[in-house]
Amino acid sequence: STRGTLPDALLSSVDAVWLIAPETDRCLERLTARAERKGVALLGSGSAAIRRASNKAALPRLLAHHGVQHPKTRVIHSSRAGWREKLKIAARELGYPLVVKPARGAGCEGVSLARDARELGPAIAMARRTKGVGRLLLQRYVRGVAASVSLMADGRRAVALATNAQWICSRAGMPSRPFVYRGGMTPLDHPLSGRAGELAVRACEAIPGLRGFVGVDLLLTDSEVFVIEVNPRLTTAYLGVRSALDENVAAMALAACAGTLPEPS
C-alpha cells in the first residue's frame, strides 16, 4: 500500500510475503513486524535486522567494529536543548563540505550537500521536513564514484552478486543542494569493484538476520572504499542485476531465504 498499511485479511490469505517498502518512518520495519506477528513466512529480512540496518545513526559504530570504513559522522538530536550549538560545533569539527541527512530514510530523501555554513541551515531544514524532530546526521563529504553492491544473504552469511554504478548528483540552484538519484548501471567497471564486494559482504554479515536480496551503498575513491548505507530490501539495482546475470535472481533470493546461497563469483 502507498500509505504503508497492509490489511490483515490480505496477510492471512498468503503463505509467504515479499515486502517492498522504504525504511522512511520505519515503514518497512512495521510491515515486516506485522507479517511476523501473523506467522507469515518472510521472503526477506526480519524486522530486527531491518531496524538495525535502517538506523543510520548507529551504523558508523557498527561498521567500525567490523573493520569497515565509513565517512566521519556526527549525530545531532534535534529534539534536545542546545542542539543548534552542538550542530555548529560538529560542522566545524568535520569541516565543509558536509552531507546532511535524516537518521532514517531511503532514495536520497531529505539528503543534501552543504558546502559552507550558509548552506547548512537550509540543509538541516530539509532533513527535518522529511523526518520531523529527531536525529540528524552530519557526514564528511567524500569525493568519489557512487556505487552499490547487490547481495544475497541467508541470515548469517552473504554473497556479492554485482557492483553497480549509481548516478547521484546534487541539484544546483536550490539553497540546500539536495541529492537526487538518477539511476544506475550494472556492472561497474572500477579498479576497486572487488574490494567493494568484500566490504559489502562484511557489512551485511555484521547485521544478523538479513535475508534475501540486500543492497549496500558505497563510495569508491582512487584508493579507498567507504560503506555508506545497508539497505535491507529489494533495491532498484535489481533491474540491472537481473539483466546482467544469467541466473534467475528472484529464485536466488527465495533460495537464500531458505538458507541456500549462490557460489561466490
Side-chain angles (χ1 to χ4, degrees):
S1 167
T2 55
R3 295 182 181 272
T5 60
L6 195 62
D8 286 343
L10 183 58
L11 270 178
S12 301
S13 69
V14 299
D15 298 317
V17 61
W18 191 343
L19 295 168
I20 302 174
E23 297 94 316
T24 307
D25 200 27
R26 299 177 62 197
C27 179
L28 179 59
E29 179 190 338
R30 294 178 192 275
L31 291 175
T32 302
R34 287 188 61 197
E36 290 171 337
R37 288 194 296 270
K38 287 289 183 180
V40 178
L42 289 169
L43 304 179
S45 300
S47 60
I50 292 171
R51 182 168 58 253
R52 294 189 72 193
S54 304
N55 187 351
K56 300 176 187 178
L59 190 62
R61 182 177 296 180
L62 176 65
L63 293 177
H65 181 71
H66 290 270
V68 178
Q69 189 166 214
H70 182 81
K72 289 187 177 180
T73 302
R74 296 290 186 273
V75 180
I76 304 298
H77 295 262
S78 64
S79 59
R80 296 180 180 177
W83 71 270
R84 293 185 184 278
E85 186 60 32
K86 293 177 181 177
L87 181 76
K88 295 176 183 178
I89 294 172
R92 287 197 298 268
E93 289 176 346
L94 290 172
Y96 292 96
L98 292 170
V99 176
V100 181
K101 61 177 69 173
R104 292 181 184 271
C108 295
E109 187 178 14
V111 182
S112 55
L113 178 69
R115 297 175 301 173
D116 51 37
R118 180 178 55 84
E119 293 183 345
L120 181 59
I124 293 296
M126 170 170 283
R128 296 189 83 201
R129 281 197 301 271
T130 300
K131 184 62 179 66
V133 176
R135 291 174 299 175
L136 302 171
L137 273 65
L138 298 186
Q139 205 165 75
R140 178 174 291 175
Y141 176 70
V142 176
R143 189 176 301 277
V145 176
S148 71
V149 174
S150 301
L151 309 97
M152 291 295 168
D154 68 359
R156 296 183 300 108
R157 302 167 299 147
V159 172
L161 299 180
T163 302
N164 321 290
Q166 288 189 326
W167 298 324
I168 297 175
C169 62
S170 62
R171 188 183 299 166
M174 298 181 67
S176 60
R177 290 187 169 264
F179 283 102
V180 181
Y181 175 68
R182 299 291 191 187
M185 180 181 65
T186 303
L188 169 64
D189 182 17
H190 191 281
L192 294 179
S193 291
R195 178 62 175 163
E198 293 172 4
L199 290 179
V201 167
R202 195 182 299 175
C204 278
E205 293 180 345
I207 305 174
L210 291 178
R211 290 185 176 86
F213 193 100
V214 179
V216 174
D217 294 335
L218 316 94
L219 274 168
L220 314 183
T221 71
D222 291 339
S223 59
E224 297 178 292
V225 176
F226 294 83
V227 169
I228 305 299
E229 294 176 7
V230 178
N231 301 306
R233 56 176 167 80
L234 193 70
T235 67
T236 55
Y238 171 84
L239 300 174
V241 176
R242 184 182 63 181
S243 298
L245 299 184
D246 294 331
E247 293 84 353
N248 185 322
V249 181
M252 293 169 68
L254 300 186
C257 290
T260 301
L261 292 177
E263 291 296 324
S265 58

